[in-house]
mmCIF file of all heavy atoms in Angstrom:
data_model
loop_
_atom_site.group_PDB
_atom_site.id
_atom_site.type_symbol
_atom_site.label_atom_id
_atom_site.label_comp_id
_atom_site.label_asym_id
_atom_site.label_seq_id
_atom_site.Cartn_x
_atom_site.Cartn_y
_atom_site.Cartn_z
ATOM 1 N N ARG A 73 -61.653 94.309 36.307
ATOM 2 C CA ARG A 73 -62.865 94.435 36.910
ATOM 3 C C ARG A 73 -63.995 94.275 35.851
ATOM 4 O O ARG A 73 -63.700 94.204 34.720
ATOM 5 C CB ARG A 73 -63.021 95.843 37.485
ATOM 6 C CG ARG A 73 -62.973 96.926 36.554
ATOM 7 C CD ARG A 73 -62.762 98.293 37.147
ATOM 8 N NE ARG A 73 -63.992 98.806 37.554
ATOM 9 C CZ ARG A 73 -64.209 100.130 37.972
ATOM 10 N NH1 ARG A 73 -63.191 100.856 38.028
ATOM 11 N NH2 ARG A 73 -65.312 100.543 38.425
ATOM 12 N N ILE A 74 -65.176 93.901 36.338
ATOM 13 C CA ILE A 74 -66.280 93.775 35.384
ATOM 14 C C ILE A 74 -67.055 95.147 35.240
ATOM 15 O O ILE A 74 -67.643 95.470 36.284
ATOM 16 C CB ILE A 74 -67.254 92.635 35.867
ATOM 17 C CG1 ILE A 74 -66.490 91.407 35.940
ATOM 18 C CG2 ILE A 74 -68.424 92.525 34.881
ATOM 19 C CD1 ILE A 74 -67.258 90.237 36.671
ATOM 20 N N SER A 75 -66.813 95.790 34.157
ATOM 21 C CA SER A 75 -67.443 97.171 34.091
ATOM 22 C C SER A 75 -68.724 97.176 33.298
ATOM 23 O O SER A 75 -69.412 98.224 33.259
ATOM 24 C CB SER A 75 -66.427 98.204 33.520
ATOM 25 O OG SER A 75 -66.148 97.668 32.226
ATOM 26 N N PHE A 76 -69.100 95.981 32.834
ATOM 27 C CA PHE A 76 -70.256 95.843 31.900
ATOM 28 C C PHE A 76 -71.542 96.461 32.615
ATOM 29 O O PHE A 76 -72.259 97.211 31.960
ATOM 30 C CB PHE A 76 -70.448 94.422 31.584
ATOM 31 C CG PHE A 76 -71.819 94.129 30.820
ATOM 32 C CD1 PHE A 76 -71.892 94.579 29.497
ATOM 33 C CD2 PHE A 76 -72.841 93.503 31.435
ATOM 34 C CE1 PHE A 76 -73.113 94.349 28.821
ATOM 35 C CE2 PHE A 76 -73.942 93.185 30.697
ATOM 36 C CZ PHE A 76 -74.097 93.695 29.393
ATOM 37 N N PHE A 77 -71.832 96.077 33.781
ATOM 38 C CA PHE A 77 -73.074 96.456 34.447
ATOM 39 C C PHE A 77 -73.032 97.985 34.843
ATOM 40 O O PHE A 77 -74.057 98.640 34.702
ATOM 41 C CB PHE A 77 -73.366 95.626 35.708
ATOM 42 C CG PHE A 77 -73.391 94.170 35.388
ATOM 43 C CD1 PHE A 77 -72.438 93.283 35.614
ATOM 44 C CD2 PHE A 77 -74.591 93.672 34.772
ATOM 45 C CE1 PHE A 77 -72.477 91.938 35.293
ATOM 46 C CE2 PHE A 77 -74.623 92.239 34.398
ATOM 47 C CZ PHE A 77 -73.624 91.374 34.752
ATOM 48 N N ILE A 78 -71.848 98.386 35.243
ATOM 49 C CA ILE A 78 -71.710 99.798 35.598
ATOM 50 C C ILE A 78 -71.943 100.728 34.343
ATOM 51 O O ILE A 78 -72.536 101.770 34.518
ATOM 52 C CB ILE A 78 -70.421 100.040 36.226
ATOM 53 C CG1 ILE A 78 -70.173 99.267 37.517
ATOM 54 C CG2 ILE A 78 -70.095 101.558 36.603
ATOM 55 C CD1 ILE A 78 -71.276 99.526 38.579
ATOM 56 N N ASP A 79 -71.472 100.309 33.275
ATOM 57 C CA ASP A 79 -71.543 101.030 32.051
ATOM 58 C C ASP A 79 -73.035 101.231 31.601
ATOM 59 O O ASP A 79 -73.310 102.242 30.808
ATOM 60 C CB ASP A 79 -70.740 100.396 30.907
ATOM 61 C CG ASP A 79 -69.239 100.417 31.219
ATOM 62 O OD1 ASP A 79 -68.799 101.202 32.039
ATOM 63 O OD2 ASP A 79 -68.446 99.541 30.554
ATOM 64 N N LEU A 80 -73.850 100.430 32.165
ATOM 65 C CA LEU A 80 -75.292 100.570 31.775
ATOM 66 C C LEU A 80 -75.993 101.604 32.626
ATOM 67 O O LEU A 80 -77.156 102.016 32.229
ATOM 68 C CB LEU A 80 -76.034 99.210 32.058
ATOM 69 C CG LEU A 80 -75.572 97.892 31.253
ATOM 70 C CD1 LEU A 80 -76.317 96.756 31.706
ATOM 71 C CD2 LEU A 80 -75.812 98.119 29.778
ATOM 72 N N LEU A 81 -75.319 102.111 33.714
ATOM 73 C CA LEU A 81 -75.897 103.125 34.513
ATOM 74 C C LEU A 81 -75.812 104.497 33.894
ATOM 75 O O LEU A 81 -74.980 104.748 33.069
ATOM 76 C CB LEU A 81 -75.261 103.105 35.925
ATOM 77 C CG LEU A 81 -75.341 101.873 36.786
ATOM 78 C CD1 LEU A 81 -74.457 102.031 37.992
ATOM 79 C CD2 LEU A 81 -76.766 101.570 37.176
ATOM 80 N N PRO A 82 -76.719 105.429 34.369
ATOM 81 C CA PRO A 82 -76.597 106.829 33.848
ATOM 82 C C PRO A 82 -75.223 107.371 34.328
ATOM 83 O O PRO A 82 -74.739 106.958 35.375
ATOM 84 C CB PRO A 82 -77.748 107.544 34.618
ATOM 85 C CG PRO A 82 -78.630 106.479 35.114
ATOM 86 C CD PRO A 82 -77.832 105.305 35.240
ATOM 87 N N ALA A 83 -74.698 108.422 33.649
ATOM 88 C CA ALA A 83 -73.375 108.846 33.920
ATOM 89 C C ALA A 83 -73.164 109.362 35.369
ATOM 90 O O ALA A 83 -72.090 109.014 35.931
ATOM 91 C CB ALA A 83 -73.094 109.980 32.882
ATOM 92 N N LYS A 84 -74.140 110.064 35.908
ATOM 93 C CA LYS A 84 -74.027 110.599 37.217
ATOM 94 C C LYS A 84 -73.899 109.518 38.247
ATOM 95 O O LYS A 84 -73.191 109.522 39.254
ATOM 96 C CB LYS A 84 -75.211 111.558 37.517
ATOM 97 C CG LYS A 84 -75.033 112.880 37.045
ATOM 98 C CD LYS A 84 -76.051 113.872 37.447
ATOM 99 C CE LYS A 84 -75.877 115.170 36.901
ATOM 100 N NZ LYS A 84 -76.938 116.077 37.243
ATOM 101 N N LEU A 85 -74.757 108.429 38.087
ATOM 102 C CA LEU A 85 -74.790 107.297 38.993
ATOM 103 C C LEU A 85 -73.429 106.482 38.900
ATOM 104 O O LEU A 85 -72.907 106.017 39.914
ATOM 105 C CB LEU A 85 -75.884 106.370 38.646
ATOM 106 C CG LEU A 85 -76.421 105.470 39.815
ATOM 107 C CD1 LEU A 85 -76.740 106.302 41.103
ATOM 108 C CD2 LEU A 85 -77.658 104.724 39.390
ATOM 109 N N GLN A 86 -72.877 106.536 37.657
ATOM 110 C CA GLN A 86 -71.605 105.833 37.404
ATOM 111 C C GLN A 86 -70.524 106.433 38.363
ATOM 112 O O GLN A 86 -69.589 105.789 38.927
ATOM 113 C CB GLN A 86 -71.122 105.961 36.055
ATOM 114 C CG GLN A 86 -71.709 104.959 35.145
ATOM 115 C CD GLN A 86 -71.191 104.978 33.667
ATOM 116 O OE1 GLN A 86 -70.018 105.268 33.497
ATOM 117 N NE2 GLN A 86 -72.016 104.713 32.680
ATOM 118 N N VAL A 87 -70.569 107.785 38.416
ATOM 119 C CA VAL A 87 -69.570 108.511 39.190
ATOM 120 C C VAL A 87 -69.720 108.184 40.745
ATOM 121 O O VAL A 87 -68.664 107.922 41.373
ATOM 122 C CB VAL A 87 -69.790 110.025 38.994
ATOM 123 C CG1 VAL A 87 -68.877 110.827 39.972
ATOM 124 C CG2 VAL A 87 -69.411 110.414 37.574
ATOM 125 N N VAL A 88 -70.943 108.182 41.143
ATOM 126 C CA VAL A 88 -71.179 107.786 42.617
ATOM 127 C C VAL A 88 -70.633 106.366 42.808
ATOM 128 O O VAL A 88 -69.965 106.118 43.922
ATOM 129 C CB VAL A 88 -72.709 107.895 42.909
ATOM 130 C CG1 VAL A 88 -72.955 107.429 44.391
ATOM 131 C CG2 VAL A 88 -73.148 109.363 42.706
ATOM 132 N N VAL A 89 -70.940 105.463 42.064
ATOM 133 C CA VAL A 89 -70.620 104.084 42.181
ATOM 134 C C VAL A 89 -69.143 103.957 42.078
ATOM 135 O O VAL A 89 -68.432 103.319 43.054
ATOM 136 C CB VAL A 89 -71.255 103.134 41.175
ATOM 137 C CG1 VAL A 89 -70.733 101.761 41.256
ATOM 138 C CG2 VAL A 89 -72.782 102.985 41.251
ATOM 139 N N ASP A 90 -68.449 104.599 41.200
ATOM 140 C CA ASP A 90 -67.055 104.666 41.033
ATOM 141 C C ASP A 90 -66.345 105.117 42.325
ATOM 142 O O ASP A 90 -65.331 104.416 42.807
ATOM 143 C CB ASP A 90 -66.617 105.436 39.817
ATOM 144 C CG ASP A 90 -65.423 104.798 39.059
ATOM 145 O OD1 ASP A 90 -65.421 103.600 39.054
ATOM 146 O OD2 ASP A 90 -64.627 105.555 38.485
ATOM 147 N N ALA A 91 -66.796 106.229 42.895
ATOM 148 C CA ALA A 91 -66.199 106.750 43.989
ATOM 149 C C ALA A 91 -66.355 105.833 45.264
ATOM 150 O O ALA A 91 -65.427 105.559 45.966
ATOM 151 C CB ALA A 91 -66.960 108.079 44.375
ATOM 152 N N VAL A 93 -66.643 102.589 45.025
ATOM 153 C CA VAL A 93 -65.693 101.431 44.678
ATOM 154 C C VAL A 93 -64.306 101.748 45.300
ATOM 155 O O VAL A 93 -63.675 100.981 46.034
ATOM 156 C CB VAL A 93 -65.684 101.192 43.205
ATOM 157 C CG1 VAL A 93 -64.405 100.286 42.898
ATOM 158 C CG2 VAL A 93 -66.902 100.481 42.709
ATOM 159 N N PRO A 158 -65.831 109.277 35.775
ATOM 160 C CA PRO A 158 -65.006 108.007 36.156
ATOM 161 C C PRO A 158 -63.614 108.248 35.972
ATOM 162 O O PRO A 158 -63.198 109.053 35.041
ATOM 163 C CB PRO A 158 -65.633 106.956 35.277
ATOM 164 C CG PRO A 158 -66.956 107.421 34.919
ATOM 165 C CD PRO A 158 -66.869 108.864 34.878
ATOM 166 N N ILE B 10 -72.301 90.538 44.312
ATOM 167 C CA ILE B 10 -72.647 92.015 44.364
ATOM 168 C C ILE B 10 -71.481 92.917 44.105
ATOM 169 O O ILE B 10 -71.578 93.884 43.273
ATOM 170 C CB ILE B 10 -73.333 92.342 45.704
ATOM 171 C CG1 ILE B 10 -74.610 91.555 45.833
ATOM 172 C CG2 ILE B 10 -73.642 93.882 45.841
ATOM 173 C CD1 ILE B 10 -75.336 91.637 47.127
ATOM 174 N N LEU B 11 -70.378 92.665 44.654
ATOM 175 C CA LEU B 11 -69.170 93.578 44.573
ATOM 176 C C LEU B 11 -68.690 93.539 43.103
ATOM 177 O O LEU B 11 -68.359 94.524 42.524
ATOM 178 C CB LEU B 11 -68.058 93.111 45.515
ATOM 179 C CG LEU B 11 -68.359 93.343 46.967
ATOM 180 C CD1 LEU B 11 -67.401 92.541 47.825
ATOM 181 C CD2 LEU B 11 -68.187 94.848 47.281
ATOM 182 N N LEU B 12 -68.707 92.404 42.567
ATOM 183 C CA LEU B 12 -68.245 92.171 41.097
ATOM 184 C C LEU B 12 -69.197 92.991 40.191
ATOM 185 O O LEU B 12 -68.739 93.696 39.271
ATOM 186 C CB LEU B 12 -68.206 90.745 40.692
ATOM 187 C CG LEU B 12 -67.079 89.859 41.309
ATOM 188 C CD1 LEU B 12 -67.254 88.477 40.847
ATOM 189 C CD2 LEU B 12 -65.741 90.438 40.949
ATOM 190 N N ILE B 13 -70.447 92.852 40.456
ATOM 191 C CA ILE B 13 -71.502 93.591 39.613
ATOM 192 C C ILE B 13 -71.381 95.075 39.664
ATOM 193 O O ILE B 13 -71.434 95.827 38.766
ATOM 194 C CB ILE B 13 -72.912 93.186 39.945
ATOM 195 C CG1 ILE B 13 -73.238 91.698 39.530
ATOM 196 C CG2 ILE B 13 -74.013 94.183 39.434
ATOM 197 C CD1 ILE B 13 -74.541 91.154 39.880
ATOM 198 N N PHE B 14 -70.938 95.541 40.975
ATOM 199 C CA PHE B 14 -70.772 96.971 41.121
ATOM 200 C C PHE B 14 -69.377 97.481 40.754
ATOM 201 O O PHE B 14 -69.012 98.613 40.911
ATOM 202 C CB PHE B 14 -71.080 97.348 42.592
ATOM 203 C CG PHE B 14 -72.510 97.591 42.833
ATOM 204 C CD1 PHE B 14 -73.345 96.594 43.239
ATOM 205 C CD2 PHE B 14 -73.099 98.851 42.590
ATOM 206 C CE1 PHE B 14 -74.689 96.737 43.427
ATOM 207 C CE2 PHE B 14 -74.501 99.042 42.799
ATOM 208 C CZ PHE B 14 -75.315 97.947 43.151
ATOM 209 N N GLY B 15 -68.700 96.643 39.987
ATOM 210 C CA GLY B 15 -67.444 97.073 39.389
ATOM 211 C C GLY B 15 -66.197 97.233 40.315
ATOM 212 O O GLY B 15 -65.224 97.846 39.954
ATOM 213 N N VAL B 16 -66.404 96.589 41.508
ATOM 214 C CA VAL B 16 -65.148 96.617 42.338
ATOM 215 C C VAL B 16 -64.128 95.684 41.766
ATOM 216 O O VAL B 16 -64.491 94.521 41.320
ATOM 217 C CB VAL B 16 -65.484 96.112 43.822
ATOM 218 C CG1 VAL B 16 -64.267 96.030 44.672
ATOM 219 C CG2 VAL B 16 -66.589 96.964 44.457
ATOM 220 N N VAL B 373 -68.387 90.738 28.062
ATOM 221 C CA VAL B 373 -67.029 91.353 28.502
ATOM 222 C C VAL B 373 -65.874 90.698 27.858
ATOM 223 O O VAL B 373 -64.775 90.676 28.438
ATOM 224 C CB VAL B 373 -66.886 91.167 30.101
ATOM 225 C CG1 VAL B 373 -67.865 92.155 30.804
ATOM 226 C CG2 VAL B 373 -67.212 89.728 30.487
#
Side-chain angles (χ1 to χ4, degrees):
Chain A
R73 60 195 282 193
I74 300 170
S75 60
F76 172 72
F77 300 103
I78 298 301
D79 292 343
L80 299 174
L81 296 174
K84 278 189 180 173
L85 203 53
Q86 276 185 36
V87 172
V88 175
V89 173
D90 219 31
V93 162
Chain B
I10 292 173
L11 289 163
L12 290 176
I13 287 174
F14 274 91
V16 177
V373 286

